[in-house]
Amino acid sequence: DGTLLWVRTNVALVPGMDGVEPFWFAVVENITERKLAEDKLRASERSLRELTETIPHMLWSADADGANDYCNQRVLDYTGLSAEEVRGAGWKKAVHQDDVEKMSQAWIAAVSTGKAFQYEFRLMRAADHAYRWCICSALPLHDQEGRIIKWFGSVVDLHDWKEAQHALQKM
């Protein structure tokens, strides 16, 4: 009917034997549906990437064992760390030394129990090398059997809010 299709072609030379001449054998498989599904998946991935990179929050994810495997550009800009430096437990480099141990323990507890994670801590802001109060929150994503397959989280700078609260208390 003139419709264009995506196809995969396999061609092989079949050797001749017992008086039969060698010949070429070809198999043509219609892969149009697969290619359309791949294009749709790529578009969806691109849309999600655009969302995570333009949303005005620091976003991150970790594998089921709690190792950081992604953070958006906002995290990198805020901390001054590279994506490679943040991977695994590298994010600890930007956490204030007085907070890093307790925060790590709280994160390990959340990962081992599967409970939501929330922790207030001081994070170094690369722009001025000042430690600012932030809150980190994360929730696990479960598969159909209830096993954790990924963690998704955010970090919010609440330093100015905390300072305003302290100022109000003093008044």
Side-chain angles (χ1 to χ4, degrees):
D1 66 358
T3 303
L4 295 175
L5 303 173
W6 282 97
V7 296
R8 182 174 67 200
T9 306
N10 292 311
V11 180
L13 177 63
V14 178
M17 62 179 118
D18 295 331
V20 176
E21 293 289 320
F23 63 94
W24 291 96
F25 181 78
V27 175
V28 179
E29 178 185 7
N30 180 351
I31 59 168
T32 304
E33 286 185 29
R34 186 184 88 203
K35 291 295 278 183
L36 294 174
E38 289 172 355
D39 290 346
K40 190 174 180 180
L41 179 61
R42 271 192 294 279
S44 177
E45 289 172 347
R46 185 174 45 255
S47 178
L48 180 59
R49 176 71 59 185
E50 290 167 352
L51 172 71
T52 62
E53 292 303 328
T54 57
I55 199 166
H57 295 286
M58 292 182 270
L59 303 176
W60 57 272
S61 67
D63 63 23
D65 295 328
N68 182 285
D69 60 8
Y70 167 79
C71 62
N72 69 355
Q73 190 62 43
R74 298 236 190 285
V75 173
L76 305 179
D77 293 344
Y78 191 95
T79 63
L81 298 173
S82 70
E84 293 76 31
E85 289 175 303
V86 174
R87 291 205 193 290
W91 55 269
K92 294 178 185 180
K93 295 175 194 169
V95 176
H96 192 281
Q97 65 182 10
D98 293 343
D99 300 332
V100 73
E101 187 61 35
K102 287 183 182 176
M103 185 176 183
S104 295
Q105 290 171 358
W107 176 238
I108 291 167
V111 169
S112 63
T113 63
K115 294 188 178 177
F117 174 76
Q118 190 168 53
Y119 198 84
E120 285 187 27
F121 67 106
R122 288 164 289 179
L123 185 65
M124 200 258 306
R125 183 171 64 180
D128 56 5
H129 297 284
Y131 283 96
R132 295 180 55 87
W133 282 103
C134 294
I135 188 163
C136 183
S137 302
L139 292 172
L141 174 67
H142 298 89
D143 65 12
Q144 292 179 350
E145 285 79 42
R147 293 180 300 242
I148 295 173
I149 55 175
K150 196 122 177 109
W151 287 85
F152 292 101
S154 64
V155 177
V156 176
D157 183 324
L158 51 84
H159 193 83
D160 295 336
W161 180 84
K162 278 185 85 91
E163 285 189 343
Q165 291 297 314
H166 288 296
L168 282 172
Q169 288 173 353
K170 286 181 181 179
M171 290 174 38

